[in-house]
Amino acid sequence: MAENETYGLRVEKKIDAMQSDIRTLSDHVTRLTFINEAHKSASEENRKDIDSIDLKVSALEHKSSMQDGGISVIKIILGLFAGSIISACIWVGSSIIQMNQELSLFKEKVARLEEVSK
């Protein structure tokens, strides 16, 4: 019977060791579960933050494209205005040149008429 008791004690010690290992593993699993839940929570918050930032970025891109369109329209209007001013300047310059040519023709005709009348 002494052998049975020692065998029983050994079995009890093994069972106690296994229970201790199971408790340790259970504690680890519990900690890892809490950590996993915290990571899930943080991941969901990050997803919400990313979605809100994505909405803000798309709104800013829309505003930027509208401003780019406005700037393009202003560039076109300024180009047309500059073209009109340049055309007007060229027309005024050519008109002045033409008037000077006509004036010199008239002066020449007047000079000839004065010579003929003398």
Side-chain angles (χ1 to χ4, degrees):
M1 281 217 179
E3 286 182 20
N4 285 340
E5 288 178 358
T6 58
Y7 178 75
L9 284 174
R10 279 190 270 160
V11 169
E12 282 183 27
K13 287 180 183 179
K14 289 264 188 189
I15 290 174
D16 287 341
M18 289 176 75
Q19 284 179 343
S20 175
D21 289 343
I22 289 172
R23 278 191 205 115
T24 304
L25 289 173
S26 176
D27 290 343
H28 285 312
V29 168
T30 303
R31 270 188 253 129
L32 291 175
T33 302
F34 285 130
I35 290 171
N36 189 25
E37 288 176 1
H39 284 274
K40 274 186 176 179
S41 167
S43 175
E44 289 174 6
E45 288 179 21
N46 288 341
R47 174 57 47 203
K48 288 178 184 176
D49 290 342
I50 288 170
D51 289 342
S52 69
I53 289 171
D54 187 40
L55 287 173
K56 289 177 183 177
V57 166
S58 65
L60 289 173
E61 286 176 345
H62 179 70
K63 285 181 182 178
S64 175
S65 66
M66 286 179 54
Q67 289 174 349
D68 287 345
I71 289 172
S72 296
V73 168
I74 290 172
K75 284 181 181 178
I76 291 170
I77 290 171
L78 287 176
L80 291 174
F81 182 69
S84 299
I85 289 175
I86 290 171
S87 297
C89 290
I90 290 172
W91 178 76
V92 167
S94 67
S95 295
I96 290 172
I97 291 170
Q98 185 179 3
M99 286 178 65
N100 283 336
Q101 288 175 349
E102 289 177 4
L103 184 61
S104 75
L105 283 175
F106 284 134
K107 284 182 182 179
E108 186 180 322
K109 286 181 182 180
V110 168
R112 284 184 188 169
L113 287 174
E114 286 178 354
E115 283 181 19
V116 169
S117 65
K118 285 183 182 183

